Amino acid sequence: MKRDNIPEVENTAECGRGNRLIDAVSPQEKPVVRKKVKGQKFIKTQVTPVEPCDEKAMLEVQHLTKSFGELKVLDDISTKIYPGEKVSIIGPSGSGKSTFLRCLNVLEDPTDGYVFFDGKNLSNLKVDINVERRRMGMVFQQFNLFNNMNVLRNITLVPVYVGLKELAKTKRHNFFIKIANIFKKKQDKKPLIPIEKTKKSIKEEAEANAMRLLQRIGLSDKAKAYPSTLSGGQRQRIAIVRALAMNPEVMLFDEPTSALDPEMVGEVLSLIKELADEGMTMVIVTHEMGFAREVSTRVLFMADGKITEEGTPKELFGNPKTERLKDFFSKVL
């Protein structure tokens, strides 16, 4: 991508992924307005200085802004999520809840601001975002299962792909080490990385793990079934299991019950509650107020692209401070 017509910035820090082109200025410098270059898809309109991240936080968002054309969906959001927290995000439709969640694992590129995961700046182009996403499970509103694959294949697809990719990477590394060792003295030769898995064992391990997870949710008999033959509740539980198959450190739920019939909501919420009781770090966008009050350790209320109020469920539901939140509760409770 060409860098023509883009002014140089001195004393640059880490590069923003949402920017795709420019580095973040140091905190001493003032924000710099950038001119949009024709043909560029992602570009910040303003550079926000990056601040030191909280090493104890699993997820940290600094001045997150997201715009679609002239529409600003997220407006300068900053928050932190610590290991073991269960954070529910509530608010009216169109307030930016789902967009905020998708920005956490950079499924949506921020227009401005930074997202840190376990101390790594996901807005830095040097960070392999696909590697970091392996540690973040995502459950969507519409299941997003592959209808041309059976349940077992849906769950094992990513673990097998990642396993084979790592195996090929190790073999490639060992190959070049062998070549380099030919020209080195015995004491200077580098050791090879031991290969303990084969293509067959990777697949067998993934399938065994998938069956264990299906057994946990009582759907082991559906392993060979296709998604189109299952109920909405079954498909959503399988979508959750698919995310768990990668052993993530944090789970992101984007309104997991919004596409379900009322009688199927309970079975999905019970599985999420079970994960919460086991200590899984979770961020949940939900319209289920009772569930948010029961499961969450902290609740964020979003309106007009901002976090307008946050606190424990007892504080937020028992004593709302802002008129906007009081008005929202009057309509949904």
Side-chain angles (χ1 to χ4, degrees):
M1 188 175 291
K2 295 182 178 180
R3 293 176 178 263
D4 299 340
N5 301 326
I6 300 180
E8 294 294 330
V9 179
E10 297 180 356
N11 300 323
T12 56
E14 290 186 288
C15 178
R17 181 176 298 275
N19 179 1
R20 299 288 183 180
L21 292 171
I22 56 179
D23 293 335
V25 297
S26 61
Q28 291 76 21
E29 295 179 277
K30 295 181 179 179
V32 179
V33 177
R34 299 291 180 179
K35 294 182 179 180
K36 186 174 181 181
V37 179
K38 186 177 181 181
Q40 294 173 357
K41 185 177 180 181
F42 301 112
I43 185 166
K44 289 183 181 179
T45 55
Q46 188 176 17
V47 179
T48 301
V50 63
E51 303 168 2
C53 66
D54 186 345
E55 295 181 356
K56 295 181 180 179
M58 179 168 284
L59 280 165
E60 180 178 352
V61 175
Q62 295 182 6
H63 307 291
L64 181 65
T65 300
K66 177 63 181 177
S67 299
F68 294 98
E70 298 297 324
L71 177 63
K72 182 177 286 188
V73 179
L74 301 177
D75 187 7
D76 195 24
I77 291 178
S78 296
T79 191
K80 300 175 184 179
I81 297 167
Y82 293 92
E85 273 199 303
K86 290 83 183 172
V87 179
S88 290
I89 304 174
I90 62 174
S93 298
S95 59
K97 303 184 300 296
S98 293
T99 302
F100 173 68
L101 196 73
R102 291 170 66 86
C103 283
L104 290 182
N105 62 357
V106 203
L107 285 177
E108 289 288 352
D109 285 275
T111 304
D112 199 1
Y114 305 91
V115 179
F116 289 90
F117 175 51
D118 199 18
K120 293 184 179 179
N121 186 359
L122 301 186
S123 299
N124 189 337
L125 287 176
K126 295 179 181 179
V127 174
D128 189 338
I129 187 62
N130 291 320
V131 171
E132 299 307 317
R133 283 188 184 133
R134 296 175 192 174
R135 302 161 58 199
M136 305 171 72
M138 180 82 176
V139 179
F140 302 90
Q141 296 181 33
Q142 300 295 334
F143 323 130
N144 286 3
L145 297 174
F146 296 104
N147 287 320
N148 61 327
M149 300 179 185
N150 62 31
V151 168
L152 187 62
R153 177 67 172 146
N154 265 282
I155 298 172
T156 61
L157 180 64
V158 175
V160 170
Y161 172 79
V162 171
L164 293 178
K165 188 175 181 180
E166 290 299 317
L167 178 61
K169 181 180 178 180
T170 302
K171 288 182 176 180
R172 187 165 57 249
H173 176 270
N174 285 348
F175 172 77
F176 287 110
I177 291 297
K178 287 179 181 179
I179 298 298
N181 283 345
I182 294 174
F183 305 98
K184 293 182 179 180
K185 295 179 181 180
K186 186 176 182 179
Q187 64 271 20
D188 296 330
K189 293 179 185 259
K190 292 183 178 180
L192 301 179
I193 298 176
I195 297 177
E196 301 175 351
K197 295 183 179 181
T198 64
K199 292 182 179 180
K200 183 179 179 181
S201 67
I202 289 172
K203 184 177 180 181
E204 290 175 347
E205 184 179 318
E207 290 181 350
N209 186 46
M211 291 305 299
R212 178 184 61 82
L213 291 169
L214 287 173
Q215 184 71 36
R216 174 180 177 176
I217 63 173
L219 292 176
S220 57
D221 59 323
K222 302 293 184 181
K224 299 297 182 181
Y226 285 82
S228 58
T229 66
L230 305 176
S231 68
Q234 289 173 329
R235 280 183 281 176
Q236 191 61 294
R237 281 187 289 163
I238 289 168
I240 295 173
V241 163
R242 179 179 62 177
L244 292 174
M246 288 298 294
N247 299 313
E249 298 176 23
V250 59
M251 288 286 291
L252 310 177
F253 294 92
D254 186 8
E255 298 186 33
T257 60
S258 63
L260 302 179
D261 294 332
E263 64 269 20
M264 296 178 182
V265 170
E267 60 189 46
V268 173
L269 293 183
S270 63
L271 176 57
I272 298 175
K273 187 177 184 301
E274 185 179 328
L275 294 175
D277 292 339
E278 292 175 359
M280 174 69 74
T281 305
M282 298 192 297
V283 184
I284 311 166
V285 172
T286 183
H287 288 295
E288 301 289 336
M289 297 299 113
F291 176 76
R293 176 183 290 181
E294 179 183 0
V295 174
S296 308
T297 57
R298 186 156 55 99
V299 180
L300 309 181
F301 174 67
M302 289 188 64
D304 303 319
K306 297 181 179 181
I307 298 176
T308 60
E309 194 168 342
E310 65 177 291
T312 65
K314 184 178 181 180
E315 292 171 346
L316 216 68
F317 288 94
N319 185 29
K321 298 177 181 178
T322 62
E323 290 299 322
R324 185 67 184 89
L325 181 56
K326 292 177 182 178
D327 179 61
F328 175 74
F329 281 155
S330 69
K331 296 176 181 178
V332 299
L333 296 179

